[in-house]
Amino acid sequence: MYKNSFLLLCFLFVVSTIYAQNIESPNRQLSLTFDIDQGVPYYTLSYKGKKVIEKSRLGFEMINIPSMKNDFNLLKSSTSAFDETWKPVWGEVKEIRNQYNELEIVLEQGNPIRTVIIRFRLYNDGLGFRYEFPNQKHLSYFTIADELTQFNLGKDYTAFWIRGDYDTNEYNYTTSLLSDVVKKIDIATEEISAQTPTQEITVQTPLMLKGNGIYINIHEASLKDYPAMLLELDSTGVVLSTHLTPDPLGGKGRMQTATQTPWRTLLISDNAADILASKMILNLNEPNKIEDTSWIKPMKYIGVWWEMFIPKGGSWAYADTANIKLDEIDYSQIKPNGRHAANTKNVKRYIDFAAKHGFDGVLVEGWNIGWEDWFGTMKENVFDFVTPYPDFDVKELQQYASQQGVKLIMHHETSASVPNYERRMDEAYRFMKENGYNAVKSGYVGSIIPLGEHHYGQTMVNHYLRAIEKGADYKVMINAHEPVRPTGMHRTYPNYLAAESARGTEYEALGNVKPDHQTILPFTRLIGGPMDYTPGIFQTDLSYYDPSTKNRINTTLAKQLALYVTMYSPLQMAADLPENYERFADAFQFIKDVPVDWDDTRILEAEPGDYITITRKEKNGDDWFIGSITDENKRVSSISLDFLDPDKSYIATIYADGTDADYETKPQSYSIKNYRVNYKSKLSIPVARSGGYAIHIKNATSQQIKELKEQ
């Protein structure tokens, strides 16, 4: 009996050894093991010799074919190494190294036999893996019921999370243990228009975790022709499973071979700064597909926008009416409401301001007919994207802007009526090119039409990509609002400059953005790509416009400056009213000076939910810019300037919180001082509650070296 038991154990050990496959990251700090246990594929991941992902299953439940979750056999496996350096069209750094070790697992299952490939890429800073379904005789068309991919953490972690939802990611972040998510999820489910929170306990990605001496970020890369992923928590909170956005019939991916899933990604480090510095998500996307990129230009802009959010402000709509039909309404017969902001005279004022202060563009929202009943009606034929209101002269404004070297930025709010936008997209882009527009801000506010589709479902994922590809055909740059959160696709399509896909500045007008929000976003939403956060609000107390209003922006003015460095985007808006910048012209100088494209980026300090300090070097220049922000707690930021050239002296202009600054009581208290600095300089700068500082460092002249105090 004992002999037979011993032989059985030996047999099981040999079988496990045969199936077990291993790779290490190039620096050997991460190691991955793939195994098959009783026909079920699993993986584990270790960091510096300690498991960070325990045994986690892989596979699929299917709808119209037998499931692919067990009875697998290992057909073959292979390993390879890859190392290249590539240059992005725009970005945070001049060059990006793409180095990984790869494990390819080929599995077969069923009778007749079906084949699936699981491809693992192990980087120095994390893991990416995906499923691939090659062309084969017995697998052509199939619909996924559930993707069974797990992330078994094995331990509890502090999580920075938002509620799992199929249609919006514009929630405030909650910070809690994973095991406490179930207790807090109802409170975290704020009321938002067009929301569809899941019935299950889910959170959205990118999900940032900290604890047990490490930091982990879970997301996905290269999302296309597949629904977006949420993470479903088990009863313990430590086993996370993929939860895909369903289509109207309950399917979670309509597939045709040859095809593949997006990459499932894990960033791992014992230093939070490494998470922010990682380029793994970008590296897992395909190289640039746009041959001529000379027309793609990062830009800084202002716009007719914020005045529609402030109390007693302007209006998108031309008239106070409702129940309009685009092909029947005659606006010459309708009384204007007198508040329409996108009128020729007002837009010229913005163009003048942009030209005077060196801004590239002016966004104009509410220029086109249809805004009177655009929201909440589930109306399909809501906008035509080419017909202006009577008080908006397209030709005159384009000529006026062109004479001053300013570009007007188009706005395409779709009201989530996707069939309407798809039908009119070519005409809308042609209109742009004929009238000098080279960039568009699109919007998808509301419930998706066709009914039953979701913002993050496969159909909409494909639509967003079509809009980007169509933009490339017409040489138009895209800034999408309310789309699925980015997954690094801007490497493949660099005309996709930015997206919103999170709670942005417009929610500040409601006084509903927490002081720690901007210290979390770079660790979550921005992991997938740049965000059009629209910072730069100087008049933070909105009772300035209406004494009965108690809403405020929950930052200091200096923190608003710092956001231009900490919240990366090649498309940055100075969102406040021109007259507010004129009131604080000395602080506005930083917004005028700060670039939107960079050669180098260094993370000087970082702790999710607490503080971030980042320095960046301008593209093709010598100037450095630093931004530092904190949460609701004041602190002292201590940094070294050892990134500077040791052979040069510099002048540092420091825009800091005033000694009495506080986001609630003295948000507009700030100081501006100049110092002489070099690579040996060390700075200790007090930061107010929800405050920050911004620094512009440039080469010092000999006269400045004599006159300025050394810091």
Side-chain angles (χ1 to χ4, degrees):
M1 176 180 177
Y2 294 110
K3 181 178 180 181
N4 289 340
S5 297
F6 175 74
L7 289 174
L8 177 61
L9 287 171
C10 288
F11 172 76
L12 292 174
F13 175 77
V14 169
V15 170
S16 178
T17 303
I18 291 172
Y19 282 139
Q21 307 290 318
N22 303 277
I23 54 168
E24 291 183 325
S25 59
N27 64 4
R28 306 187 69 180
Q29 291 190 350
L30 283 165
S31 62
L32 172 123
T33 298
F34 171 84
D35 202 355
I36 299 176
D37 186 355
Q38 299 183 31
V40 178
Y42 293 91
Y43 75 99
T44 60
L45 186 64
S46 296
Y47 175 67
K48 294 185 177 180
K50 296 181 179 179
K51 281 189 180 179
V52 292
I53 299 295
E54 301 282 351
K55 187 176 180 181
S56 299
R57 74 170 301 162
L58 303 160
F60 294 88
E61 291 276 12
M62 301 295 187
I63 287 180
N64 56 337
I65 62 172
S67 290
M68 302 181 75
K69 62 180 181 179
N70 49 25
D71 298 327
F72 281 102
N73 292 308
L74 177 65
L75 182 61
K76 62 179 179 178
S77 67
S78 61
T79 59
S80 60
F82 187 83
D83 193 358
E84 69 168 0
T85 299
W86 58 279
K87 294 184 178 181
V89 175
W90 46 261
E92 297 176 272
V93 292
K94 188 175 184 179
E95 294 181 336
I96 294 175
R97 188 178 186 184
N98 184 15
Q99 182 189 24
Y100 59 83
N101 291 332
E102 180 174 287
L103 172 63
E104 181 188 78
I105 299 292
V106 183
L107 301 175
E108 62 179 14
Q109 180 235 35
N111 184 19
I113 290 175
R114 299 172 300 173
T115 301
V116 60
I117 299 168
I118 306 178
R119 191 175 306 278
F120 298 94
R121 289 183 180 174
L122 202 53
Y123 293 77
N124 289 336
D125 51 354
L127 168 68
F129 64 94
R130 73 180 182 187
Y131 304 88
E132 300 173 5
F133 302 91
N135 277 319
Q136 52 196 289
K137 183 177 180 180
H138 300 296
L139 186 63
S140 297
Y141 304 92
F142 58 97
T143 301
I144 295 169
D146 278 303
E147 182 185 325
L148 303 177
T149 304
Q150 289 182 335
F151 305 91
N152 181 1
L153 299 165
K155 303 180 183 68
D156 210 355
Y157 284 84
T158 296
F160 303 84
W161 58 277
I162 55 175
R163 178 72 162 92
D165 195 294
Y166 300 140
D167 281 296
T168 184
N169 38 35
E170 296 183 352
Y171 292 103
N172 262 311
Y173 279 88
T174 299
T175 303
S176 76
L177 290 172
L178 279 171
S179 58
D180 287 338
V181 170
V182 65
K183 304 173 190 174
K184 297 179 178 289
I185 201 157
D186 288 339
I187 297 174
T189 309
E190 305 159 89
E191 186 173 343
I192 300 174
S193 65
Q195 67 189 137
T196 312
T198 63
Q199 294 181 355
E200 300 82 2
I201 304 300
T202 62
V203 296
Q204 299 196 40
T205 73
L207 175 66
M208 186 67 197
L209 306 171
K210 63 177 283 189
N212 307 299
I214 62 168
Y215 300 85
I216 300 175
N217 185 280
I218 305 175
H219 191 33
E220 59 184 330
S222 191
L223 172 63
K224 53 188 176 182
D225 199 20
Y226 201 79
M229 175 181 75
L230 306 174
L231 295 172
E232 186 171 336
L233 283 68
D234 75 344
S235 59
T236 68
V238 303
V239 180
L240 311 179
S241 300
T242 298
H243 181 107
L244 301 178
T245 304
D247 65 26
L249 299 179
K252 297 181 179 180
R254 303 175 302 279
M255 315 293 282
Q256 178 184 356
T257 59
T259 188
Q260 66 283 315
T261 70
W263 297 92
R264 279 62 190 97
T265 63
L266 287 150
L267 300 177
I268 299 170
S269 180
D270 52 15
N271 184 349
D274 294 339
I275 304 296
L276 297 183
S278 175
K279 297 294 178 284
M280 190 185 82
I281 299 282
L282 271 179
N283 281 327
L284 287 167
N285 278 265
E286 295 178 61
N288 173 27
K289 288 187 174 183
I290 301 175
E291 187 173 341
D292 173 22
T293 60
S294 60
W295 53 276
I296 300 174
K297 305 289 185 184
M299 61 193 307
K300 198 162 27 175
Y301 70 103
I302 61 172
V304 180
W305 179 73
W306 185 243
E307 66 181 272
M308 280 89 96
F309 287 95
I310 61 175
K312 299 183 177 180
S315 167
W316 284 272
Y318 175 78
D320 293 334
T321 186
N323 193 21
I324 67 166
K325 295 184 178 181
L326 294 183
D327 55 353
E328 296 179 5
I329 189 167
D330 182 357
Y331 279 96
S332 67
Q333 302 301 311
I334 294 179
K335 180 182 178 181
N337 60 23
R339 303 186 310 278
H340 182 229
N343 63 76
T344 299
K345 180 180 179 181
N346 192 39
V347 174
K348 282 185 175 181
R349 182 172 70 93
Y350 278 85
I351 293 171
D352 291 341
F353 186 84
K356 177 181 178 181
H357 295 286
F359 284 82
D360 304 299
V362 174
L363 168 71
V364 184
E365 293 197 9
W367 69 277
N368 56 316
I369 63 171
W371 286 91
E372 284 74 18
D373 63 351
W374 74 282
F375 178 72
T377 61
M378 296 300 291
K379 175 181 174 182
E380 183 171 323
N381 193 30
V382 57
F383 294 115
D384 70 5
F385 311 104
V386 296
T387 306
Y389 278 123
D391 60 350
F392 185 87
D393 192 318
V394 174
K395 297 295 184 184
E396 180 180 346
L397 285 169
Q398 281 298 342
Q399 183 178 15
Y400 190 81
S402 179
Q403 289 172 348
Q404 300 197 57
V406 174
K407 282 282 189 181
L408 290 182
I409 299 173
M410 176 55 71
H411 184 230
H412 287 169
E413 176 54 60
T414 69
S415 192
S417 178
V418 178
N420 182 57
Y421 193 40
E422 293 251 4
R423 284 194 301 269
R424 300 177 184 273
M425 197 179 292
D426 275 297
E427 183 185 12
Y429 281 141
R430 282 196 299 269
F431 178 87
M432 288 179 60
K433 298 307 291 183
E434 291 167 0
N435 290 283
Y437 293 89
N438 68 342
V440 60
K441 173 184 176 180
S442 59
Y444 295 88
V445 176
S447 298
I448 296 294
I449 301 173
L451 297 177
E453 294 287 354
H454 296 293
H455 284 77
Y456 310 146
Q458 184 179 14
T459 295
M460 286 304 298
V461 166
N462 291 340
H463 165 78
Y464 302 133
L465 182 55
R466 277 195 297 275
I468 293 166
E469 291 174 331
K470 185 72 71 175
D473 292 342
Y474 285 90
K475 295 188 175 181
V476 167
M477 297 177 287
I478 309 294
N479 170 23
H481 281 228
E482 296 89 31
V484 67
R485 72 283 186 276
T487 60
M489 292 286 285
H490 54 287
R491 178 189 181 187
T492 312
Y493 300 97
N495 67 314
Y496 186 23
L497 287 187
E500 185 188 38
S501 303
R503 178 163 292 203
T505 295
E506 61 198 48
Y507 279 88
E508 297 272 21
L510 307 174
N512 199 13
V513 175
K514 297 177 182 178
D516 66 354
H517 187 63
Q518 302 91 353
T519 66
I520 296 173
L521 282 174
F523 287 99
T524 52
R525 160 62 186 80
L526 273 75
I527 291 295
M531 180 178 178
D532 184 33
Y533 188 73
T534 59
I537 305 300
F538 283 7
Q539 184 52 57
T540 58
D541 184 350
L542 300 187
S543 67
Y544 176 83
Y545 306 104
D546 180 357
S548 67
T549 297
K550 296 182 179 180
N551 292 339
R552 65 168 56 253
I553 284 75
N554 291 320
T555 77
T556 65
L557 187 151
K559 185 176 183 178
Q560 290 288 318
L561 298 180
L563 293 176
Y564 287 91
V565 182
T566 62
M567 299 280 287
Y568 169 67
S569 177
L571 186 73
Q572 289 280 22
M573 185 182 195
D576 210 340
L577 308 182
E579 50 266 37
N580 288 334
Y581 291 133
E582 290 168 345
R583 290 166 53 212
F584 302 97
D586 54 352
F588 183 53
Q589 187 63 45
F590 182 82
I591 298 179
K592 293 168 60 174
D593 291 340
V594 67
V596 291
D597 200 10
W598 308 96
D599 268 349
D600 196 7
T601 291
R602 312 281 180 90
I603 315 301
L604 304 182
E605 299 177 297
E607 192 61 41
D610 292 333
Y611 55 83
I612 295 174
T613 305
I614 297 177
T615 185
R616 305 186 193 271
K617 187 181 183 184
E618 67 176 335
K619 193 83 166 181
N620 301 321
D622 293 327
D623 288 14
W624 287 84
F625 293 78
I626 301 175
S628 182
I629 62 173
T630 190
D631 60 2
E632 69 278 8
N633 301 304
K634 61 183 180 181
R635 65 183 295 265
V636 175
S637 170
S638 298
I639 60 172
S640 170
L641 303 186
D642 56 4
F643 53 85
L644 296 175
D645 189 326
D647 297 322
K648 294 181 179 180
S649 291
Y650 298 84
I651 177 174
T653 303
I654 302 176
Y655 302 77
D657 289 319
T659 56
D660 59 348
D662 184 275
Y663 79 96
E664 291 183 305
T665 59
K666 280 290 188 71
Q668 293 172 329
S669 174
Y670 63 91
S671 66
I672 304 175
K673 296 179 181 179
N674 293 316
Y675 296 97
R676 179 161 49 94
V677 297
N678 57 40
Y679 80 104
K680 294 182 180 179
S681 299
K682 298 184 185 302
L683 306 180
S684 292
I685 302 176
V687 183
R689 293 196 311 141
S690 195
Y693 64 82
I695 305 177
H696 180 186
I697 301 175
K698 54 188 176 182
N699 291 327
T701 65
S702 56
Q703 185 66 27
Q704 288 170 330
I705 292 174
K706 293 178 183 177
E707 294 176 352
L708 289 175
K709 175 184 177 182
E710 185 170 357
Q711 182 70 11

